[in-house]
Amino acid sequence: MEEASYVPSIVTYNTLLYWYCKRGRYKAASELIDRMSCKGLEADVCTYNMFIDDLCRNNKSAKGYLLLKKMRKKTILPNEVTYNTLINGFVKEGKLGIATRVFDEMLEFNLSPNRIAYNALIGGHCQGGNFGEALRLVDNMEAVGLRPNEVSYGAILNGLCKCGKLNSARRFLERMRKNGIVIGSVAYTMLIDGLCKNGRLDEGVQLLGKMVKSGVNPDVVTYSVLVNGFCRAGKIKNAKEIICKMYKAGNVPNSIVFSNLIYNSCKQGYVIEAIKVYGAMNYSGHDCDLFTYNLLISSLCREGRLQEAEDFLHHMSRIGLVPNSASFDSIINGYGNVGDALKAFSLFDELVNFGHPPNLYTYGSLLKGLCKGGNLELAKQFFDKLKCVPCAVDVVLYNTLIAETCRSGNLQAAIILFDEMVGSDVLPNSYTYASLLAGLCRKGKVAAAILLFGMAMERETFFPNQVVYTCLIDGLFKAGQPKAAAFFYEDMMKKGFYPDTISFNVIIDGYSRTGQMTKVNNFISLMKRVNLSPNLVTYNILLHGYSKKRGISKCFALYDAMTRRGFIPDKLTCHSLILGLCESALLDIGLKILKKMIVEGTVADRFTFNMLITKFSERDEMGKAFDLLNSMNLLGVFPNGETYSAILKGLKRKFGFQEFRKILNEMLGKGIIPTDRQYVALITGMCKVGDVGGAFKLKDEMEALGIASRDVAESAIVRGLVKRGKMEEAMLVLSCMLRVQLVPTLATFTTLIHGLCKEYNLAEALKLRSIMELNGVKLDVVAYNVLITGFCANGDIGPAFELYEEMKERGLCPNTTTYAVLIDTLCRGNNLVKGEMLLMDLEERGLISQDGNTQDLHNRLRMAMKELNIIRRRRKNIGKK
């Protein structure tokens, strides 16, 4: 223009200046103003105001103030707009002090600040929590004839709500109403938001009602504030009620409200509710973003609903939203967690087909799937292949493989992996050492674990944490080393690693297992002192500990405490509580507790059912044992060999051999092969009640199933016939066995000898003893006792003592039964020599005291019998325990 002799006007320069400002070329803009002066055109206040406004908008208010100074030098007087712009700019930058000085300067030059300047300063003071100054400015506004508007009051109201001064905010709202300010939805929403953020949700709902009664219609934002408040508090049901009110008021939730509800439902673990909200969102015509879809997928995976998560992924593709790698990774990790490597790799193929590159997280999930699925060899092969992929192997992958190798018990392979890890410049972390320590402790190699811990401490790269210490403490307790565990606990505390709830649970469990409940209570008190609350695991440990000590009242007190705190009893709770009742012989109460828990939704495990069935069977209450067995089948808790074994023992004692037979058939039907002892017990019992034909059929079935050899089966029949009193038939079966070179068991021979002795057929008994030895079956103490008892009962003291001497010569140690039978026989006779010899043997073995008294033989023998009876009763009591 200048070359063509056109003189640019002030408008032209202002237009160019505006363009420079918008492009951020402030230096060029400043040079343009100087150039205007050279051309005889002085920039006016509008030019400067435009430049200052742009600087303030871009957080360069200080440069704007320099322009103000430049204006005054050029005698261009700034106006209200200049100062208002600068005040607003400084407040926006958080420079409230400078903004206040500019405001004071404005007053000094007799310029009247407008509402914009006042509102900017009021907002700045409220943000800083200086409400006194903000209210003073409101009073100043009124004093100079400026009426505060909704923005002025709104800034203070918003500031009070954000600072939690809600009572002051309520009073200020009333002041606004008295001053004639129309209270709109914005003001109400501010106060409702403040109430919600401070947990006063009920007051927020009441204010909503008051708002509606006042004729102010809540908008979407108002309802959103309440929905968010209830969601943050985990009250999803209340949030849904607010949405219902929203619909009734004619307001439709927007995508933000729906997304918020989905997010918080997922966060609280209500994934089904979140899916329902998603359905309502879709129906309302709102689209979800990728973040919300991924959130729903990951929440379904956390809940173990992997197939539903996979279906949801495919639904995304159908509606045209392309899943990203995070969508796939959630499901791949979910399948990895449950050990379903096949599904995980199937999703991995889909991920690659979509063009998404796998990352470390993806590879880690796949490796985890192979490990948890029991495919350790395949996991190692996959891991070796990953080494060829750049940057695919990190400490997490090594830790996954090392941890699973340790769990499999192959510690040598785990150590090799550890060495390879270090050789590959991948630094082991605390989790690596924790896995190795846990593996060593599980194998009972506590000394090796302590040595490894010491070596790790010497490495400058190893920083132990409470997890590592907890692992060691747990291993030491389980290895029966509570003192060593206590040492490492103290060492952990000295190092500044304070135990968390898991650590306390390990220590409490350790002392509880050894019955040291005083120490358990001390650690519970310590937990409370450090503000740690017991969790469900803690309560279960305590219940189990007190159950073993038969502290029933304490168990019920603990149970009440845990339910009051909102813990839902699980199968371990049920087991521990019923264990205490069983230990205290309160089986009927235990049964009632079990039924109550089942009704309340706690399904007991097999161990609990087996415990009750065993106890009822021992008490011969077979009706209740069978009821429990039926309950197991109805609840889908499958009986195992231990369950049936307990019932069979009870039936054997009650001679319920028909039911015994049915149970064996039920076991076979469920694929549980009965043991040879169970078949033998039934065969013996059937013979005992006279069902010899049935016993032989059962013997054939036993042989067909390969449960035991023919000699074991036929030996059982022989014993059963003897117990039935059919000695001839028993001897006939024995002869048949010997003819086909089947050698009966020692127990069978002993039973036959016992039967012959009862019939005083001692000659046949001795012949049978010879047959035993010819067939390589050596007599044990029980067999000798049977023969000795037989001869003593017949009054043949000589042969009885010969057998006694033979026992000793063969290295068999006579027991209290042997001595009791012989002493009883001697007391009825008068054989001084044999009596003295027997007493000397008893004294040598320390079974009776050596008092050296001069009593007659009969008195000494009677005293010896008393001492033997004491020993026998003591051993019997120990056996019961």
Side-chain angles (χ1 to χ4, degrees), residues 121-410:
L121 281 172
I122 288 167
H125 283 298
C126 288
Q127 282 177 8
N130 191 356
F131 297 106
E133 187 61 28
L135 290 168
R136 189 187 66 78
L137 283 167
V138 170
D139 294 338
N140 284 355
M141 282 179 77
E142 291 173 343
V144 297
L146 281 173
R147 188 180 178 188
N149 59 8
E150 285 186 10
V151 177
S152 317
Y153 286 114
I156 297 173
L157 185 65
N158 189 41
L160 288 167
C161 290
K162 282 185 175 178
C163 289
K165 297 178 181 291
L166 299 172
N167 294 331
S168 299
R170 281 179 180 276
R171 287 194 295 271
F172 193 74
L173 195 71
E174 290 304 315
R175 176 179 170 178
M176 287 171 67
R177 189 178 281 109
K178 286 176 183 176
N179 287 349
I181 299 295
V182 177
I183 311 296
S185 64
V186 174
Y188 275 109
T189 302
M190 284 178 189
L191 189 50
I192 290 169
D193 185 43
L195 289 166
C196 289
K197 283 177 178 173
N198 283 274
R200 294 161 68 172
L201 296 165
D202 291 337
E203 290 180 51
V205 174
Q206 287 169 11
L207 191 59
L208 177 73
K210 188 178 178 181
M211 179 181 178
V212 174
K213 284 180 183 176
S214 301
V216 181
N217 293 322
D219 58 11
V220 175
V221 179
T222 314
Y223 286 109
S224 298
V225 161
L226 277 165
V227 169
N228 290 347
F230 280 115
C231 284
R232 277 195 300 270
K235 298 180 177 180
I236 304 298
K237 186 180 176 182
N238 299 80
K240 288 168 76 176
E241 287 172 1
I242 296 296
I243 289 176
C244 289
K245 286 183 180 180
M246 197 173 178
Y247 274 113
K248 285 178 183 176
N251 286 304
V252 179
N254 57 20
S255 58
I256 296 170
V257 176
F258 279 120
S259 296
N260 245 323
L261 195 53
I262 289 170
Y263 172 79
N264 284 286
S265 295
C266 290
K267 189 179 175 184
Q268 297 293 324
Y270 304 126
V271 66
I272 300 302
E273 287 298 317
I275 294 290
K276 287 177 183 176
V277 175
Y278 166 75
M281 185 177 181
N282 253 352
Y283 184 77
S284 301
H286 296 293
D287 293 326
C288 275
D289 57 10
L290 190 58
F291 172 80
T292 308
Y293 277 109
N294 284 348
L295 177 66
L296 284 165
I297 288 170
S298 64
S299 298
L300 285 166
C301 291
R302 270 198 306 274
E303 291 284 312
R305 299 172 176 269
L306 298 170
Q307 187 56 55
E308 292 170 56
E310 196 174 340
D311 293 341
F312 204 76
L313 180 81
H314 295 144
H315 162 73
M316 285 174 67
S317 302
R318 283 195 298 274
I319 63 172
L321 189 66
V322 179
N324 62 6
S325 57
S327 317
F328 283 99
D329 281 341
S330 293
I331 306 175
I332 292 169
N333 185 56
Y335 281 122
N337 284 330
V338 297
D340 193 342
L342 193 64
K343 278 279 191 180
F345 274 95
S346 174
L347 264 294
F348 173 75
D349 291 339
E350 280 191 50
L351 170 79
V352 174
N353 289 337
F354 267 90
H356 299 307
N359 54 34
L360 282 170
Y361 186 73
T362 317
Y363 291 130
S365 300
L366 291 169
L367 186 67
K368 183 165 48 176
L370 289 167
C371 287
K372 290 200 171 183
N375 302 305
L376 194 55
E377 284 304 316
L378 286 174
K380 287 175 182 175
Q381 291 171 22
F382 178 65
F383 184 76
D384 289 337
K385 286 180 181 178
L386 286 179
K387 291 175 188 174
C388 303
V389 180
C391 303
V393 176
D394 65 350
V395 66
V396 176
L397 267 72
Y398 267 111
N399 283 349
T400 302
L401 197 54
I402 287 170
E404 192 57 37
T405 307
C406 286
R407 271 192 286 270
S408 72
N410 193 349

Side-chain angles (χ1 to χ4, degrees), residues 560-768:
D560 288 340
M562 67 175 279
T563 49
R564 278 200 307 273
R565 293 195 61 196
F567 291 112
I568 299 169
D570 62 1
K571 59 185 180 182
L572 290 174
T573 316
C574 180
H575 179 83
S576 299
L577 197 57
I578 292 170
L579 170 67
L581 293 164
C582 288
E583 290 291 325
S584 303
L586 301 170
L587 295 186
D588 291 325
I589 298 173
L591 187 58
K592 287 177 182 177
I593 293 288
L594 177 67
K595 288 177 179 177
K596 178 179 177 286
M597 286 188 166
I598 289 169
V599 168
E600 290 173 352
T602 305
V603 179
D605 58 10
R606 188 191 294 127
F607 297 108
T608 308
F609 275 107
N610 284 355
M611 181 170 59
L612 279 169
I613 287 169
T614 302
K615 293 291 182 182
F616 277 119
S617 296
E618 286 173 358
R619 279 172 42 167
D620 293 336
E621 296 184 48
M622 297 311 298
K624 290 176 181 177
F626 274 107
D627 287 343
L628 283 164
L629 181 65
N630 293 333
S631 298
M632 285 180 80
N633 289 321
L634 286 170
L635 293 167
V637 182
F638 299 109
N640 61 357
E642 187 182 336
T643 319
Y644 288 115
S645 178
I647 288 175
L648 291 174
K649 285 176 183 176
L651 290 171
K652 181 185 173 185
R653 282 191 296 272
K654 294 280 285 183
F655 302 104
F657 296 114
Q658 286 185 348
E659 291 89 348
F660 201 122
R661 184 80 173 95
K662 287 176 185 176
I663 292 292
L664 284 186
N665 288 334
E666 186 179 321
M667 289 172 73
L668 290 167
K670 290 185 176 180
I672 301 171
I673 306 298
T675 64
D676 57 347
R677 283 176 176 270
Q678 288 163 349
Y679 264 106
V680 165
L682 183 54
I683 289 168
T684 307
M686 290 173 83
C687 290
K688 198 171 181 179
V689 296
D691 188 4
V692 180
F696 271 99
K697 284 180 183 177
L698 203 60
K699 176 201 70 112
D700 294 337
E701 182 184 303
M702 188 177 174
E703 288 178 27
L705 289 169
I707 291 172
S709 57
R710 185 179 168 188
D711 57 340
V712 173
E714 294 197 7
S715 291
I717 290 174
V718 172
R719 292 198 298 278
L721 289 167
V722 172
K723 288 178 182 177
R724 179 68 176 168
K726 296 188 175 185
M727 288 301 300
E728 287 184 18
E729 290 90 334
M731 293 301 291
L732 183 62
V733 175
L734 176 71
S735 299
C736 292
M737 288 180 71
L738 294 171
R739 275 200 299 273
V740 293
Q741 295 184 340
L742 288 176
V743 180
T745 59
L746 173 60
T748 308
F749 275 115
T750 305
T751 306
L752 277 166
I753 291 169
H754 184 255
L756 292 167
C757 288
K758 278 174 74 176
E759 294 180 353
Y760 300 106
N761 196 346
L762 298 172
E764 285 298 320
L766 289 172
K767 281 182 186 177
L768 195 57

Side-chain angles (χ1 to χ4, degrees), residues 24-41:
R25 296 176 64 183
Y26 300 114
K27 187 177 179 182
S30 184
E31 288 172 355
L32 186 67
I33 289 174
D34 293 337
R35 188 172 179 179
M36 285 172 69
S37 299
C38 295
K39 296 291 182 180
L41 286 172

